[in-house]
Amino acid sequence: MSALVDIIAGARPNFMKIAPIIRALQERKAHGSVLDWRLVHTGQHYDPRMSGDFFKQLGIPEPDVNLEVGSGSHAGQTAAIMVAYEKLLLERESDLCLVVGDVTSTMACSITAQKLHIPVAHVEGGLRSGDWTMPEEINRLVTDSVTDWFFTTSRNAGEILRCSGVGEERIFFVGNTMIDTLLANLERIRPPAFVEEQGIDNGEYLVLTLHRPANVDEPANLARLLGEVARGSEGKPVVFPVHPRTRQVCEQIGELPDNLILEEPQPYLEFIWLVRNALGVITDSGGITEEATVMGIPCMTLRNTTERPETVEIGTNELLGTDPERIAPALKRLLSGSWKKGEIPEMWDGKTGERIAATLEDLASSGRLSRNEVRSGRN
Ligand code: UD1
């Protein structure tokens, strides 16, 4: 008997995480797998630059369903996703709800499914920053509290889950699907047109990304932060693909330093090219710290905490905190070539999507996706 898996995606960082899982399921289907899937886009991100471009470049099939919820407050967006996804499940229920990452769509769909007694699998489960002021941390805590099956990116994440009482049989250490996508596409990356147009020399620029509310929502704070980046970069160009949320605040700041090159959010292949060929990256994203680590590019994170400690302990990432004063001294170290080299974390080998598909197939064929079994298997 076949099993229907809902694959949930809503916001930009979800798309590179689902692509390898879908590819692995497609390959298995071609060989008679019992697993079927339905791709559900919540519509949390809707601009082509935040969504459609990624589907095209990564060869992700068109979503089977788009819930089209759009932007809103956290509560408003969560509620809209829950209502729309519940309606879908009541029309045609699935056997498993598979969510990835830590965005609002991840949390909203996992709660909705579990309330209808549909088991939940969380790809990237067990991550914790410990910072409850970040919406993503609340999303992680809530999602993991209603998750049946956890796919983890590190041993540390598994340990966190075990300490919170999750049974060993529900945790699968599989690696990182975002890195599957990175490794599968490295040969396809290409420079954005503005690199040549603006005469930016290969390997002689920095990349900056900022979108966390703590860094960007207050214009005076963002202005200071951008000023410090410009000051510390010793006149080198700083390529800054601007998230829509950050763009709104930049417009209130007025004139920005000359060597900041503001661009639209970049498609995947162009963005990875920019990171791969940069002197270093300054960011407040989590996923970029993982990608920079695998490519061996120096990375500084403008946050006080990380839910991805391996990028700091093993990789090229360093936590600078949110005090702009710390940026220039760190850039000095980076530009003098004395940044740490870093290594690639365990199991970040490009085969995670296949490991997840194989595990799902095992669960389905051994009847463990059946709801009673899942409930009685809990501790
Ligand atoms: C979301 C995720 C964050 C992730 C980020 C990547 C949550 C809580 N946050 O943050 O974890 O790192 O995506 O981008 O889920 N907007 C547009 N077009 C779009 C989408 C958003 O213009 O396609 C604007 C809207 O003004 C919106 C704002 O950006 O209100 C913020 O979007 P939202 O999805 O709420 O959060 P992000 O900051 O993108």
Side-chain angles (χ1 to χ4, degrees):
M1 216 181 70
S2 70
L4 179 66
V5 179
D6 273 349
I7 299 176
I8 309 293
R12 183 170 60 178
N14 290 164
F15 307 137
M16 33 295 217
K17 292 174 192 169
I18 60 162
I21 302 172
I22 294 175
R23 196 167 330 107
L25 289 174
Q26 283 169 333
E27 274 165 25
R28 283 178 168 260
K29 189 78 202 161
H31 293 92
S33 164
V34 296
L35 294 175
D36 251 318
W37 64 93
R38 174 170 68 178
L39 178 52
V40 180
H41 192 322
T42 64
Q44 178 177 346
H45 283 176
Y46 44 85
D47 283 353
R49 285 184 172 275
M50 302 295 287
S51 176
D53 287 356
F54 290 82
F55 277 71
K56 281 193 209 109
Q57 286 199 341
L58 300 178
I60 305 170
E62 282 289 310
D64 297 293
V65 182
N66 193 324
L67 304 178
E68 294 182 342
V69 298
S71 298
S73 69
H74 283 276
Q77 209 172 40
T78 305
I81 296 169
M82 289 181 72
V83 170
Y85 185 45
E86 182 185 56
K87 185 163 177 281
L88 175 70
L89 287 176
L90 292 174
E91 280 162 10
R92 188 187 171 200
E93 72 174 17
S94 61
D95 298 293
L96 179 74
C97 170
L98 182 135
V99 295
V100 300
D102 55 18
V103 303
T104 298
S105 304
T106 310
M107 174 184 74
C109 290
S110 62
I111 300 172
T112 309
Q114 196 59 266
K115 285 212 165 190
L116 292 173
H117 309 164
I118 294 168
V120 173
H122 185 197
V123 174
E124 216 184 78
L127 299 194
R128 298 287 182 273
S129 69
D131 178 355
W132 282 30
T133 65
M134 282 178 62
E136 292 82 1
E137 184 70 355
I138 308 300
N139 294 344
R140 291 180 201 113
L141 286 161
V142 175
T143 302
D144 282 352
S145 71
V146 296
T147 289
D148 296 279
W149 311 106
F150 297 88
F151 293 107
T152 59
T153 52
S154 67
R155 290 189 188 278
N156 185 55
E159 207 39 50
I160 287 171
L161 292 169
R162 270 176 225 109
C163 288
S164 66
V166 175
E168 189 65 47
E169 70 289 354
R170 291 164 56 205
I171 304 171
F172 302 95
F173 174 33
V174 289
N176 192 326
T177 57
M178 198 173 218
I179 300 308
D180 283 17
T181 295
L182 176 70
L183 297 178
N185 286 286
L186 272 182
E187 285 181 4
R188 299 174 61 218
I189 62 176
R190 56 199 187 198
F194 70 80
V195 166
E196 198 182 327
E197 283 158 18
Q198 307 225 16
I200 299 170
D201 287 340
N202 205 346
E204 283 301 316
Y205 62 90
L206 294 154
V207 173
L208 171 68
T209 82
L210 292 172
H211 73 284
R212 301 271 165 217
N215 285 328
V216 306
D217 279 1
E218 165 56 42
N221 185 52
L222 179 61
R224 218 172 126 230
L225 224 155
L226 295 177
E228 286 300 305
V229 170
R231 187 170 74 82
S233 54
E234 299 173 6
K236 297 206 186 292
V238 179
V239 176
F240 182 23
V242 189
H243 185 282
R245 167 185 209 109
T246 314
R247 170 78 63 179
Q248 291 167 13
V249 187
C250 278
E251 278 158 12
Q252 297 170 42
I253 295 178
E255 206 169 323
L256 293 170
D258 280 350
N259 62 329
L260 282 190
I261 300 175
L262 270 65
E263 292 293 336
E264 292 295 312
Q266 293 299 301
Y268 184 76
L269 298 174
E270 284 79 358
F271 184 74
I272 297 296
W273 187 94
L274 284 170
V275 174
R276 179 122 212 230
N277 292 284
L279 288 162
V281 185
I282 308 159
T283 188
D284 60 8
S285 151
I288 294 171
T289 67
E290 300 182 331
E291 291 163 339
T293 282
V294 169
M295 291 189 276
I297 303 296
C299 180
M300 49 184 83
T301 296
L302 304 185
R303 287 174 47 193
N304 294 314
T305 57
T306 177
E307 61 289 342
R308 296 165 163 87
E310 60 283 357
T311 63
V312 176
E313 287 156 13
I314 302 171
T316 58
N317 184 26
E318 195 176 304
L319 282 185
L320 283 198
T322 50
D323 179 0
E325 302 260 309
R326 298 194 57 192
I327 298 173
L331 277 174
K332 194 163 186 192
R333 258 189 303 127
L334 191 156
L335 294 173
S336 70
S338 48
W339 204 260
K340 62 178 169 174
K341 295 286 174 261
E343 283 170 27
I344 297 179
E346 189 182 356
M347 290 254 232
W348 292 16
D349 59 0
K351 298 178 184 143
T352 299
E354 172 45 32
R355 286 194 276 267
I356 291 173
T359 308
L360 292 176
E361 180 132 28
D362 255 18
L363 290 171
S365 15
S366 60
R368 281 186 291 161
L369 285 190
S370 99
R371 297 171 196 193
N372 288 338
E373 181 69 28
V374 170
R375 291 299 160 301
S376 61
R378 285 214 160 174
N379 49 359

